[in-house]
Coordinates of all heavy atoms in Angstrom, one line a residue:
S70 N 123.8 180.1 225.4 CA 124.6 179.3 226.4 C 123.9 178.9 227.5 O 124.2 178.0 228.3 CB 125.9 180.0 226.7 OG 125.6 181.3 227.3
A71 N 122.8 179.7 227.9 CA 122.0 179.4 229.0 C 120.7 178.6 228.8 O 119.9 178.5 229.7 CB 121.7 180.7 229.8
L72 N 120.6 178.1 227.6 CA 119.3 177.5 227.2 C 119.2 176.0 227.3 O 118.1 175.5 227.1 CB 119.0 177.9 225.7 CG 118.8 179.4 225.4 CD1 118.6 179.6 223.9 CD2 117.6 179.9 226.2
A73 N 120.3 175.3 227.6 CA 120.3 173.9 227.6 C 119.2 173.4 228.6 O 119.1 173.8 229.7 CB 121.6 173.4 228.0
G74 N 118.4 172.4 228.1 CA 117.3 171.8 228.9 C 116.1 172.7 229.1 O 115.2 172.3 229.8
S75 N 116.1 173.8 228.4 CA 115.0 174.8 228.7 C 113.8 174.5 227.7 O 113.9 173.8 226.7 CB 115.4 176.2 228.5 OG 116.0 176.4 227.2
I76 N 112.7 175.2 228.0 CA 111.5 175.2 227.2 C 111.2 176.6 226.7 O 111.0 177.5 227.5 CB 110.3 174.7 228.1 CG1 110.5 173.3 228.7 CG2 109.0 174.6 227.3 CD1 109.7 173.0 229.9
A77 N 111.3 176.7 225.4 CA 111.2 178.0 224.8 C 109.8 178.4 224.4 O 109.1 177.4 223.9 CB 112.2 178.1 223.6
Y78 N 109.5 179.6 224.5 CA 108.2 180.1 224.0 C 108.3 181.5 223.4 O 109.3 182.1 223.6 CB 107.1 180.1 225.1 CG 107.3 181.1 226.2 CD1 106.8 182.4 226.1 CD2 108.0 180.8 227.3 CE1 106.9 183.3 227.0 CE2 108.2 181.7 228.3 CZ 107.6 183.0 228.2 OH 107.8 183.9 229.2
L79 N 107.4 181.9 222.6 CA 107.4 183.1 221.9 C 107.2 184.3 223.0 O 106.2 184.4 223.5 CB 106.4 183.2 220.8 CG 106.5 182.2 219.6 CD1 105.2 182.1 218.9 CD2 107.7 182.7 218.8
G80 N 108.3 185.1 223.1 CA 108.2 186.1 224.1 C 107.8 187.4 223.5 O 107.5 187.5 222.3
P81 N 107.7 188.5 224.4 CA 108.0 188.5 225.8 C 107.0 187.7 226.6 O 106.0 187.3 226.1 CB 108.1 189.9 226.1 CG 107.2 190.6 225.2 CD 107.3 189.9 223.9
A82 N 107.2 187.7 227.9 CA 106.3 187.0 228.8 C 105.0 187.7 228.8 O 104.9 188.9 228.5 CB 106.9 187.1 230.3
G83 N 103.9 187.0 229.3 CA 102.6 187.6 229.3 C 101.7 187.3 228.1 O 100.6 187.7 228.1
S84 N 102.2 186.4 227.3 CA 101.4 186.0 226.1 C 100.6 184.7 226.4 O 100.8 184.0 227.4 CB 102.3 185.7 224.9 OG 103.1 184.6 225.2
W85 N 99.7 184.4 225.4 CA 99.0 183.1 225.6 C 99.9 181.9 225.5 O 99.6 180.9 226.1 CB 97.9 183.0 224.5 CG 96.6 183.7 224.9 CD1 96.1 184.8 224.3 CD2 95.7 183.4 226.0 NE1 94.9 185.1 224.9 CE2 94.7 184.3 225.9 CE3 95.8 182.4 227.0 CZ2 93.6 184.3 226.9 CZ3 94.7 182.4 227.9 CH2 93.7 183.3 227.9
T86 N 101.0 182.0 224.8 CA 101.9 180.9 224.7 C 102.6 180.8 226.0 O 102.9 179.7 226.5 CB 102.9 181.1 223.6 OG1 102.2 181.2 222.3 CG2 103.9 179.9 223.4
H87 N 103.0 181.9 226.7 CA 103.5 181.8 228.0 C 102.5 181.1 229.0 O 102.9 180.2 229.7 CB 103.7 183.2 228.5 CG 104.3 183.3 229.9 ND1 104.3 184.5 230.6 CD2 105.0 182.4 230.6 CE1 104.9 184.2 231.8 NE2 105.4 183.0 231.8
Q88 N 101.2 181.5 228.9 CA 100.2 180.8 229.7 C 100.1 179.3 229.4 O 100.0 178.5 230.3 CB 98.9 181.5 229.5 CG 97.8 180.9 230.4 CD 98.0 181.1 231.9 OE1 98.2 182.2 232.3 NE2 98.2 180.0 232.6
A89 N 100.2 179.0 228.1 CA 100.1 177.5 227.8 C 101.2 176.8 228.4 O 101.1 175.7 228.9 CB 100.1 177.4 226.2
C90 N 102.4 177.4 228.4 CA 103.6 176.7 229.0 C 103.5 176.5 230.5 O 103.9 175.6 231.1 CB 104.9 177.5 228.6 SG 105.5 177.2 226.9
L91 N 102.9 177.6 231.1 CA 102.6 177.5 232.6 C 101.7 176.4 232.8 O 101.9 175.6 233.8 CB 102.1 178.8 233.0 CG 103.1 180.0 233.1 CD1 102.3 181.3 233.4 CD2 104.2 179.8 234.1
D92 N 100.7 176.3 232.0 CA 99.7 175.1 232.2 C 100.4 173.8 232.0 O 100.1 172.9 232.8 CB 98.6 175.3 231.1 CG 97.7 176.4 231.3 OD1 97.8 177.2 232.4 OD2 97.0 176.8 230.4
L93 N 101.3 173.7 231.0 CA 101.9 172.4 230.7 C 103.1 172.0 231.6 O 103.2 170.8 232.0 CB 102.3 172.4 229.2 CG 101.2 172.4 228.2 CD1 101.8 172.7 226.8 CD2 100.6 171.1 228.1
F94 N 103.9 173.0 231.9 CA 105.2 172.7 232.5 C 105.5 173.4 233.8 O 106.4 173.1 234.5 CB 106.3 173.1 231.6 CG 106.2 172.5 230.2 CD1 105.9 173.3 229.1 CD2 106.3 171.1 230.0 CE1 105.8 172.8 227.8 CE2 106.1 170.6 228.7 CZ 105.9 171.5 227.6
G95 N 104.6 174.4 234.3 CA 105.0 175.2 235.4 C 106.0 176.3 235.1 O 106.3 176.4 233.9
E96 N 106.5 177.0 236.0 CA 107.4 178.1 235.8 C 108.8 177.7 235.5 O 109.5 178.5 234.9 CB 107.4 179.1 237.0 CG 106.0 179.7 237.3 CD 106.0 180.7 238.4 OE1 107.1 180.9 239.0 OE2 104.9 181.2 238.7
K97 N 109.2 176.6 236.0 CA 110.7 176.2 235.9 C 111.1 176.0 234.4 O 110.4 175.4 233.6 CB 110.9 174.9 236.7 CG 112.4 174.6 236.7 CD 112.6 173.3 237.6 CE 114.1 172.9 237.6 NZ 114.3 171.7 238.5
D98 N 112.2 176.5 234.1 CA 112.9 176.3 232.8 C 112.2 177.0 231.6 O 112.6 176.7 230.5 CB 113.1 174.8 232.5 CG 113.9 174.1 233.6 OD1 114.9 174.7 234.1 OD2 113.6 172.9 233.8
L99 N 111.3 177.9 231.8 CA 110.7 178.6 230.7 C 111.5 179.7 230.2 O 112.0 180.5 231.1 CB 109.3 179.0 231.1 CG 108.2 178.1 231.5 CD1 106.9 178.7 231.7 CD2 108.1 176.9 230.5
V100 N 111.7 179.8 228.9 CA 112.5 180.9 228.4 C 111.8 181.6 227.3 O 111.5 181.0 226.2 CB 113.9 180.3 227.8 CG1 114.7 181.5 227.2 CG2 114.7 179.6 228.9
P101 N 111.6 182.9 227.4 CA 110.9 183.7 226.3 C 112.0 184.1 225.2 O 113.0 184.6 225.5 CB 110.4 184.9 227.0 CG 111.3 185.1 228.2 CD 111.8 183.8 228.6
L102 N 111.7 183.8 224.0 CA 112.6 184.1 222.9 C 111.8 184.8 221.8 O 110.5 184.6 221.6 CB 113.2 182.9 222.3 CG 114.1 182.0 223.2 CD1 114.6 180.8 222.5 CD2 115.3 182.9 223.7
S103 N 112.4 185.5 220.9 CA 111.9 186.1 219.7 C 111.6 184.9 218.7 O 112.1 183.8 218.9 CB 112.8 187.1 219.1 OG 113.9 186.5 218.5
R104 N 110.8 185.2 217.8 CA 110.4 184.2 216.8 C 111.7 183.6 216.1 O 111.9 182.4 216.0 CB 109.5 184.7 215.7 CG 109.2 183.8 214.5 CD 108.2 184.3 213.6 NE 108.0 183.5 212.4 CZ 107.0 183.6 211.7 NH1 106.0 184.4 211.9 NH2 106.9 182.8 210.6
E105 N 112.6 184.5 215.7 CA 113.8 184.0 215.0 C 114.7 183.2 216.0 O 115.3 182.2 215.6 CB 114.6 185.3 214.5 CG 113.9 186.1 213.4 CD 112.7 186.9 213.9 OE1 112.6 187.2 215.1 OE2 111.9 187.3 213.0
E106 N 114.8 183.7 217.2 CA 115.6 183.0 218.2 C 115.1 181.6 218.4 O 115.8 180.6 218.6 CB 115.8 183.8 219.5 CG 116.7 185.0 219.4 CD 116.6 185.8 220.6 OE1 115.5 185.9 221.2 OE2 117.6 186.4 221.0
L107 N 113.7 181.5 218.6 CA 113.1 180.3 219.0 C 113.4 179.2 218.0 O 113.8 178.1 218.4 CB 111.6 180.5 219.2 CG 110.8 179.3 219.7 CD1 109.6 179.7 220.6 CD2 110.3 178.4 218.5
F108 N 113.1 179.4 216.7 CA 113.3 178.5 215.7 C 114.7 178.2 215.4 O 115.2 177.0 215.2 CB 112.6 178.9 214.4 CG 111.1 178.8 214.5 CD1 110.3 180.0 214.6 CD2 110.4 177.6 214.5 CE1 109.0 179.9 214.7 CE2 109.1 177.5 214.6 CZ 108.3 178.6 214.7
S109 N 115.7 179.2 215.6 CA 117.0 179.0 215.4 C 117.6 178.1 216.5 O 118.4 177.1 216.3 CB 117.7 180.3 215.3 OG 119.2 180.2 215.3
E110 N 117.3 178.4 217.7 CA 117.8 177.7 218.9 C 117.3 176.2 219.0 O 118.0 175.3 219.4 CB 117.5 178.5 220.2 CG 118.2 179.8 220.3 CD 119.7 179.8 220.1 OE1 120.1 179.9 218.9 OE2 120.4 179.7 221.1
Y111 N 116.1 176.1 218.6 CA 115.5 174.7 218.5 C 116.3 173.9 217.5 O 116.7 172.8 217.7 CB 114.0 174.7 218.2 CG 113.5 173.3 218.0 CD1 113.2 172.5 219.1 CD2 113.3 172.8 216.7 CE1 112.8 171.2 218.9 CE2 112.9 171.5 216.5 CZ 112.6 170.7 217.6 OH 112.1 169.4 217.4
Q112 N 116.5 174.5 216.3 CA 117.1 173.7 215.2 C 118.6 173.4 215.6 O 119.1 172.3 215.2 CB 117.1 174.6 213.9 CG 117.7 173.9 212.7 CD 117.4 174.7 211.4 OE1 116.6 175.5 211.3 NE2 118.2 174.3 210.4
K113 N 119.2 174.3 216.3 CA 120.6 174.1 216.8 C 120.7 173.0 217.9 O 121.8 172.7 218.3 CB 121.2 175.3 217.2 CG 121.4 176.4 216.0 CD 122.0 177.7 216.6 CE 122.1 178.7 215.5 NZ 122.6 180.0 216.1
G114 N 119.6 172.7 218.5 CA 119.6 171.8 219.6 C 119.8 172.5 221.0 O 120.2 171.9 222.0
K115 N 119.7 173.8 220.9 CA 120.1 174.6 222.2 C 118.9 174.6 223.2 O 119.1 174.9 224.4 CB 120.4 176.0 221.8 CG 121.7 176.1 220.9 CD 122.9 175.7 221.7 CE 124.2 175.8 220.8 NZ 124.5 177.3 220.4
V116 N 117.7 174.4 222.7 CA 116.5 174.3 223.7 C 116.0 172.9 223.5 O 116.0 172.2 222.5 CB 115.4 175.3 223.4 CG1 116.0 176.7 223.6 CG2 114.9 175.2 222.0
E117 N 115.5 172.3 224.6 CA 115.0 171.0 224.7 C 113.6 170.9 224.0 O 113.3 170.0 223.3 CB 114.9 170.5 226.1 CG 114.5 169.0 226.3 CD 115.5 168.1 225.7 OE1 116.8 168.4 225.6 OE2 115.1 166.9 225.3
R118 N 112.8 171.9 224.3 CA 111.4 171.9 223.8 C 111.1 173.3 223.4 O 111.6 174.3 223.9 CB 110.4 171.3 224.8 CG 110.5 169.8 224.9 CD 109.6 169.3 226.1 NE 110.2 169.6 227.4 CZ 109.7 169.2 228.6 NH1 108.6 168.4 228.6 NH2 110.3 169.4 229.6
A119 N 110.1 173.4 222.5 CA 109.6 174.7 222.1 C 108.1 174.6 221.9 O 107.6 173.6 221.4 CB 110.2 175.2 220.8
C120 N 107.4 175.7 222.4 CA 105.9 175.6 222.4 C 105.4 176.7 221.4 O 105.9 177.9 221.5 CB 105.4 176.0 223.8 SG 103.6 175.8 224.0
I121 N 104.6 176.3 220.4 CA 104.3 177.1 219.3 C 102.8 177.1 219.0 O 102.3 175.9 218.7 CB 105.1 176.7 218.0 CG1 106.6 176.9 218.3 CG2 104.7 177.6 216.8 CD1 107.4 176.1 217.4
P122 N 102.1 178.2 218.9 CA 100.7 178.1 218.5 C 100.5 177.9 217.0 O 101.2 178.7 216.2 CB 100.2 179.5 218.9 CG 101.4 180.4 218.7 CD 102.6 179.6 219.1
V123 N 99.8 176.9 216.6 CA 99.7 176.6 215.2 C 98.4 176.7 214.5 O 98.3 176.9 213.3 CB 100.3 175.2 214.9 CG1 101.8 175.1 215.1 CG2 99.6 174.1 215.8
T124 N 97.2 176.5 215.3 CA 95.9 176.7 214.7 C 95.0 177.3 215.7 O 95.2 177.2 216.9 CB 95.4 175.3 214.3 OG1 95.3 174.4 215.3 CG2 96.1 174.7 213.1
T125 N 94.0 178.0 215.2 CA 92.9 178.6 216.1 C 91.6 178.3 215.4 O 91.5 178.2 214.1 CB 93.1 180.1 216.3 OG1 92.5 180.8 215.2 CG2 94.5 180.5 216.4

Side-chain angles (χ1 to χ4, degrees):
S70 60
L72 295 178
S75 60
I76 303 160
Y78 68 90
L79 295 164
S84 65
W85 275 116
T86 301
H87 182 198
Q88 182 62 62
C90 285
L91 290 171
D92 295 347
L93 291 168
F94 308 113
E96 296 183 4
K97 186 179 179 181
D98 299 325
L99 300 186
V100 179
L102 298 177
S103 70
R104 173 175 175 159
E105 294 74 18
E106 288 173 323
L107 184 146
F108 288 104
S109 174
E110 298 303 88
Y111 174 80
Q112 186 172 341
K113 293 175 184 176
K115 297 292 182 64
V116 296
E117 185 65 24
R118 284 173 286 187
C120 190
I121 299 159
V123 289
T124 57
T125 85

